[in-house]
Amino acid sequence: MSDDGFRNVFLTASDGLRLHLREYGERGGAGLPVVCLPGLTRTAADFHVLASALAHDPARPRRVLALDYRGRGLSAWDPDPSRYTVAVELADVLGVMAACQAMPAVLIGTSRGGLISLAMASVKPEAIAGVVLNDIGPVIEADGIARIKTYVGRAGQPTDFAQGAAALRRLFADQFPDWSDEDWRDMAYRAWRLENGQLLPTYDQAIAEALRAFDLSKPLPELWPQFDALAGVPVMVIRGGLSDLLSARTVAAMKARRPDLEVIEVPRQGHAPDLAGADVIARIAAFVDRCVRRPD
């Protein structure tokens, strides 16, 4: 266990690529494991506050796995950028869950992680005991994709973390208007890593190629069948009040389709909410506790 309260675990994907995850909490506990899946260019570090709270709750400790997809964080970069797809990443996630004996699990998926969760519901529903969709749903707004395309693959190389924090504030201040200097600094430490005296981005810049498949002149495909495949498990959706990727209209349609859907809106945060607020963490913890193991 590191001083930060987690273990670094390295596994090998089916094609030989090295994958990394953070493991919080004790192995072999009676409760359901929680698997945290980050956004497109994000890493396991985004879940540190939430994962620590869930794993080290003295009343109900839980085992939490937070993954780095291929090409992100401490996982190896893929020499073939065409493999940065939801399908390949889903196979990696399922492989990790199997190797870690973490099936079924409660999935917490931010953006890309939510898409992977929806895909898993279609191909291996028995692996899922519940899902938290963080700022993602069956309908993806084109405006949000257009904005993401403007910065993915263009992380730049600031000279220090203060300069990185300033660059992130310029890019995302409209999404997180209430963030403090400390918040932006913490995001900079997750967006770049120090290597040989230089700051390097924590994701493979070639991931931008995956966005070229989105033709914004045409309607984006909707994922209602995948959402409906979650009918057998509890589902929570979290929306940033300023989100341009998940609309309030889509959340209302999800609720109409699933009256038992639990909905949280995080005010004055955009895409995607950081899941670090005490109230949001408490509600996620209560949701996880309501999820039960599916019958064999």
Side-chain angles (χ1 to χ4, degrees):
M1 187 79 70
S2 75
D3 293 340
D4 291 320
F6 61 86
R7 291 174 290 275
N8 287 306
V9 178
F10 293 90
L11 300 169
T12 303
S14 60
D15 61 0
L17 205 74
R18 188 182 73 161
L19 301 176
H20 168 260
L21 63 109
R22 293 181 174 192
E23 183 179 38
Y24 297 77
E26 297 304 318
R27 299 172 181 171
L32 286 165
V34 177
V35 175
C36 298
L37 303 174
L40 176 65
T41 63
R42 308 303 304 167
T43 73
D46 280 357
F47 292 101
H48 180 66
V49 174
L50 172 63
S52 296
L54 293 177
H56 304 300
D57 182 342
R60 197 183 295 268
R62 309 160 184 89
R63 181 186 180 212
V64 182
L65 308 179
L67 277 65
D68 283 337
Y69 310 132
R70 59 181 58 216
R72 287 81 153 184
L74 298 181
S75 290
W77 276 204
D78 196 316
D80 179 1
S82 70
R83 292 178 58 78
Y84 291 132
T85 66
V86 168
V88 172
E89 290 156 15
L90 170 60
D92 289 344
V93 171
L94 287 170
V96 167
M97 291 172 66
C100 293
Q101 298 181 320
M103 288 187 189
V106 180
L107 307 180
I108 302 176
T110 294
S111 192
R112 176 76 153 210
L115 296 180
I116 291 171
S117 301
L118 290 169
M120 191 184 299
S122 292
V123 302
K124 198 172 179 64
E126 65 272 20
I128 303 174
V131 175
V132 177
L133 298 171
N134 183 24
D135 215 56
I136 196 71
V139 179
I140 303 171
E141 299 300 319
D143 287 350
I145 294 293
R147 180 179 58 81
I148 291 169
K149 289 179 77 169
T150 65
Y151 66 80
V152 171
R154 302 172 185 173
Q157 191 174 334
T159 57
D160 56 34
F161 286 108
Q163 189 180 94
L168 291 170
R169 189 196 293 264
R170 287 192 296 272
L171 278 173
F172 302 116
D174 60 334
Q175 298 284 305
F176 300 95
D178 296 336
W179 272 16
S180 66
D181 291 345
E182 183 179 1
D183 292 326
W184 292 113
R185 184 204 65 200
D186 289 346
M187 188 177 181
Y189 274 97
R190 298 194 299 273
W192 289 276
R193 69 179 188 277
L194 187 62
E195 187 172 304
N196 298 323
Q198 293 184 317
L199 292 190
L200 301 177
T202 52
Y203 72 94
D204 186 350
Q205 301 294 280
I207 287 171
E209 295 184 21
L211 291 177
R212 293 176 184 170
F214 286 95
D215 182 354
L216 299 182
S217 67
K218 301 176 182 177
L220 297 174
E222 297 186 358
L223 304 175
W224 291 110
Q226 290 85 348
F227 178 72
D228 291 341
L230 292 169
V233 298
V235 181
M236 168 187 280
V237 62
I238 300 172
R239 178 180 181 267
L242 302 177
S243 177
D244 56 4
L245 202 79
L246 177 63
S247 70
R249 179 180 61 254
T250 296
V251 173
M254 295 166 72
K255 182 72 172 176
R257 216 169 179 109
R258 281 284 304 263
D260 63 337
L261 179 73
E262 185 166 351
V263 178
I264 299 175
E265 180 156 313
V266 181
R268 294 184 63 76
Q269 288 198 21
H271 185 75
D274 58 19
L275 308 185
D279 179 62
V280 171
I281 290 173
R283 291 187 64 179
I284 291 174
F287 173 84
V288 170
D289 289 344
R290 289 195 295 275
C291 297
V292 298
R293 192 176 301 273
R294 286 189 174 196
D296 295 332

